[in-house]
Amino acid sequence: MKAPVPGQRTPREQKRMSAADRDVVALAIAVAAIILFVATGSAVLPAAIRAMAGYGIGPDSALVNALLLNIALIIFGWRRYADLSGEIAERRRAEEQARSLAEADPLTGTLNRRSFGFALDRLLDESEQASRSIAIMMIDLDNFKLVNDRKGHGIGDLILVECARRIVAALPSEALIARIGGDEFACALTFDPSRVQAVDAIASRLIDAIREPFEVQNLAIDMTASVGITRADTLKKAIEGISDAQHMLDMADVAMYHAKRNGRNNYFWFEDFMGEEMRFRDRIESGLRRGIENGEFVPFYERQIDVETGELIGFEMLARWNSPEFGLLVPDMFIPIAEEVGLISELSETLIASALEDARHWAPHLTLAVNISPIQLRDPWFSQRLLKLLVAANFPPGRLEIEITESCMHEDIVQVRTLIASLKNQGVRVSLDDFGTGYNSLSQLHRLPFDRIKIDRSFVRGIDRCEDSAAIVESIAMLGKGLGLPVTAEGIETTAVLERLRAFSGLRGQGYLYGKPRSASDTRAWLEELGLLADGERKSADDAGTAATQEQNGPRAAQA
Ligand code: C2E
Ligand code: CA
Ligand code: CA
């Protein structure tokens, strides 16, 4: 820590300290005794000298006693004074040490949250006179929790210490640096308001420094950080009950969260709209739990079709939030937040349970695909929990397909493989979703025993117009063939795209051309029309067969 430790003594400490200082009384006694010594000495000594010279009667014995008492007093007073001075110095040193310990983060030696607040307040006061502004940076490590959980807290601690060292090295020497939470650091530095780029440069340097692999106990660990920045001269007005320092920290925090949501490993300066975004996010977050309890999350179903024959194969379940506050919300609005606040498993399992219940009423050859968050893959009990849901719904595992997004490749690959193996043992099939969007997945593909790959819709969409997209789709289809993996093309919106896809054999397709995702009741009504409900569910099965063939093959499928 390069910053001066901000000391602020409590009133009690001050009282105790001045009481110690007041023990100079001991010194005063010694001084008074010296004066008395001079007085009695001047009476006793001449008489004593005269008596020794043989012409006098010698000093009065009472005066001699007084003189001796005086000498004793001087010695006592001086000793006491010397002892006390030593004691006070010792106590001061101990208190200084205790205070700096209370103000420092014991792990990294930087300031802690409390002392950073004091120091920042002081810096803000000082900067009012100077012509410099203050920037606050909030730095949060992106994947620290994962490392901590997987590699253990010992390694986590070493990484934090090294991180603090890198932050200190990247910042100017007079900057204030504090660890204010588990993996969260805050910094304050002054800068010339006409040279904001200097702060940008520091932020970039900081992010680059943290991105360098951490070598801890022979392990190379990758870490990134998200940074939020705010500056004191943009503070509009004081908010009652919140110090300027706290207000700035809050703004930097909001900017940091914005950086997290925008890909991490980057920095953002605070802007007003981020506050709005944050409040919206908070409302979503607080609505999530209530929504789960009230059954506001519902499955919608998107058709999965055999591209060649037009036959309906099954449905992919897509989550929707039927929120009384916001209306019908799509998953991108709430899944990432549910993941962040640890509600994703509960939410997903509630949805899967409803979907299994819905799908039991469909014709038994129709499959059900559900999406799983990479966070759920980290749960070693996931496949057991899924089995429990299957048993409770009396749903054959062979009809269920789990879709895992390509980002699972960044997870612990051994654990993902174990999980996929155990799902497959139960008879559940597993697809790799959004294929082509992540990096490095080609090299990993053969390591995980998927049953199917789904080409991301960003490639499918332009296949009829863009040669690059066409080439990518073609090579994924070839790859699938080579690895013996069937392929699904997502996001088929036009007949032109469908025509191009017909060139590949054995393809499955999804997209708005076949129909938008629909609610459970709409899906069921549509299936009933086609005679594709389970036995005993159909109201009239008479002309179902013909309706089904028409719907699956003809233009009606495209219009649905
Ligand atoms: P996904 O798995 O890739 O699902 C396909 C998404 O593309 C769906 O968006 C679907 O409505 C949309 N889509 C389908 N056909 C077309 C088309 O022709 N054109 C266009 N532009 N879009 C099409 P949705 O429902 O908003 O879902 C978004 C993502 O949310 C899903 O992407 C999936 O990754 C995730 N998701 C959905 N439900 C769940 C869930 O229960 N759990 C988890 N963890 N993720 C879910
Ligand atoms: Ca999917
Ligand atoms: Ca997808």
Side-chain angles (χ1 to χ4, degrees):
M1 176 188 59
K2 300 167 180 182
V5 174
Q8 219 142 59
R9 233 168 245 153
T10 65
R12 212 162 133 220
E13 283 171 335
Q14 272 167 354
K15 216 163 140 196
R16 257 194 10 241
M17 219 54 195
S18 60
D21 288 347
R22 257 186 284 127
D23 270 339
V24 287
V25 170
L27 178 66
I29 291 173
V31 173
I34 291 170
I35 295 168
L36 219 61
F37 173 78
V38 175
T40 47
S42 61
V44 171
L45 285 180
I49 293 165
R50 269 199 307 275
M52 273 153 67
Y55 46 91
I57 52 162
D60 180 356
S61 67
L63 271 177
V64 172
N65 285 344
L67 184 68
L68 289 176
L69 195 63
N70 237 308
I71 294 170
L73 260 178
I74 290 170
I75 295 169
F76 164 77
W78 187 254
R79 282 280 305 274
R80 175 93 186 105
Y81 176 71
D83 283 355
L84 266 174
S85 305
E87 217 172 280
I88 290 169
E90 186 56 38
R91 200 193 303 173
R92 279 220 170 98
R93 243 194 324 276
E95 284 185 357
E96 240 7 279
Q97 198 179 9
R99 193 169 44 252
S100 88
L101 277 179
E103 283 164 350
D105 166 46
L107 181 67
T108 61
T110 59
L111 298 178
N112 60 26
R113 178 182 277 277
R114 178 174 164 272
S115 56
F116 183 75
F118 285 137
L120 184 55
D121 276 333
R122 198 178 300 168
L123 199 64
L124 286 167
D125 285 346
E126 286 164 8
S127 79
E128 269 173 24
Q129 281 105 46
S131 59
R132 291 175 74 72
S133 183
I134 294 172
I136 302 279
M137 284 186 192
M138 198 65 99
I139 306 162
D140 194 280
L141 302 183
D142 292 326
N143 28 7
F144 181 74
K145 193 178 175 306
L146 214 63
V147 171
N148 220 16
D149 291 350
R150 293 219 182 116
K151 312 277 183 223
H153 290 239
I155 290 199
D157 282 356
L158 292 174
I159 286 180
L160 288 173
V161 171
E162 172 60 13
C163 241
R165 198 194 61 72
R166 293 183 188 183
I167 293 171
V168 167
L171 286 168
S173 57
E174 70 286 350
L176 297 173
I177 300 160
R179 183 164 77 114
I180 59 169
D183 59 348
E184 202 173 8
F185 293 87
C187 313
L189 54 135
T190 60
F191 68 99
D192 177 349
S194 64
R195 293 197 61 248
V196 188
Q197 320 84 282
V199 181
D200 287 273
I202 292 172
S204 303
R205 201 157 69 212
L206 201 86
I207 285 169
D208 289 347
I210 292 175
R211 201 175 28 214
E212 287 291 310
F214 286 74
E215 304 217 345
V216 189
Q217 296 183 356
N218 293 328
L219 293 169
I221 295 170
D222 290 324
M223 187 68 59
T224 56
S226 300
V227 178
I229 318 175
T230 188
R231 50 190 287 185
D233 48 356
T234 56
L235 271 186
K236 299 227 167 63
K237 54 180 183 345
I239 299 180
E240 211 180 315
I242 298 180
S243 70
D244 281 354
Q246 189 52 51
H247 189 193
M248 284 189 74
L249 282 170
D250 289 347
M251 292 197 304
D253 212 38
V254 167
M256 186 273 289
Y257 270 106
H258 186 81
K260 288 249 184 229
R261 279 195 303 279
N262 286 274
R264 300 160 177 233
N265 188 29
N266 57 7
Y267 73 89
F268 279 90
W269 285 86
F270 175 82
E271 287 179 57
D272 283 335
F273 79 88
M274 294 176 188
E276 271 307 312
E277 198 181 81
M278 195 78 174
R279 278 186 285 281
F280 179 69
R281 189 199 168 284
D282 285 347
R283 280 167 64 202
I284 297 260
E285 186 182 325
S286 56
L288 270 173
R289 192 172 290 282
R290 214 176 334 117
I292 296 175
E293 278 163 16
N294 298 346
E296 290 165 16
F297 290 90
V298 290
F300 268 49
Y301 299 99
E302 180 179 334
R303 299 168 206 178
Q304 299 184 311
I305 307 285
D306 181 318
V307 166
E308 265 169 280
T309 64
E311 190 194 343
L312 177 71
I313 308 283
F315 294 91
E316 173 177 359
M317 187 270 278
L318 296 161
R320 293 290 181 269
W321 183 1
N322 209 342
S323 155
E325 195 180 348
F326 307 107
L328 195 68
L329 289 186
V330 293
D332 292 344
M333 307 285 282
F334 58 85
I335 296 275
I337 300 175
E339 288 177 338
E340 218 174 280
V341 300
L343 284 173
I344 188 65
S345 296
E346 201 181 327
L347 174 60
S348 171
E349 284 167 28
T350 316
L351 282 161
I352 294 175
S354 318
L356 292 175
E357 191 46 42
D358 291 338
R360 261 177 6 112
H361 302 285
W362 306 340
H365 70 277
L366 295 176
T367 59
L368 170 70
V370 298
N371 293 282
I372 293 299
S373 154
I375 298 200
Q376 290 170 280
L377 299 182
R378 289 180 205 154
D379 175 4
W381 299 104
F382 175 73
S383 73
Q384 261 72 11
R385 301 238 288 260
L386 190 70
L387 184 64
K388 226 166 123 187
L389 291 176
L390 285 166
V391 170
N394 192 20
F395 193 84
R399 284 180 67 190
L400 184 68
E401 203 163 297
I402 298 285
E403 295 193 2
I404 301 177
T405 65
E406 203 181 4
S407 55
C408 75
M409 303 280 196
H410 309 310
E411 298 288 315
D412 183 341
I413 212 85
V414 177
Q415 179 159 347
V416 175
R417 192 168 39 212
T418 313
L419 186 93
I420 295 180
S422 109
L423 288 171
K424 292 182 70 159
N425 276 342
Q426 292 173 19
V428 175
R429 273 158 307 141
V430 184
S431 326
L432 180 59
D433 204 355
D434 304 336
F435 187 73
T437 53
Y439 65 95
N440 206 18
S441 27
L442 259 187
S443 59
Q444 303 265 31
L445 192 57
H446 68 281
R447 296 178 60 188
L448 296 171
F450 290 109
D451 295 296
R452 168 174 295 276
I453 36 186
K454 297 185 72 176
I455 312 177
D456 191 66
R457 67 170 184 269
S458 56
F459 303 116
V460 175
R461 194 170 39 208
I463 188 179
D464 57 326
R465 286 167 281 119
C466 163
E467 277 318 305
D468 285 350
S469 296
I472 291 172
V473 171
E474 186 165 355
S475 51
I476 298 177
M478 300 268 282
L479 180 80
K481 202 161 251 155
L483 291 171
L485 286 176
V487 174
T488 297
E490 300 183 304
I492 306 173
E493 289 180 356
T494 62
T495 37
V497 168
L498 182 63
E499 280 316 311
R500 285 292 300 254
L501 291 171
R502 284 221 165 103
F504 308 104
S505 61
L507 219 57
R508 226 180 248 186
Q510 290 180 235
Y512 292 171
L513 181 70
Y514 293 117
K516 290 204 168 177
R518 287 180 173 190
S519 69
S521 56
D522 283 358
T523 303
R524 186 177 163 143
W526 182 66
L527 288 176
E528 183 167 23
E529 234 177 78
L530 301 180
L532 286 174
L533 287 183
D535 286 343
E537 300 282 343
R538 283 181 241 180
K539 278 199 204 117
S540 67
D542 309 347
D543 49 359
T546 33
T549 338
Q550 269 179 9
E551 178 83 28
Q552 289 152 16
N553 293 322
R556 275 180 64 196
Q559 290 155 12

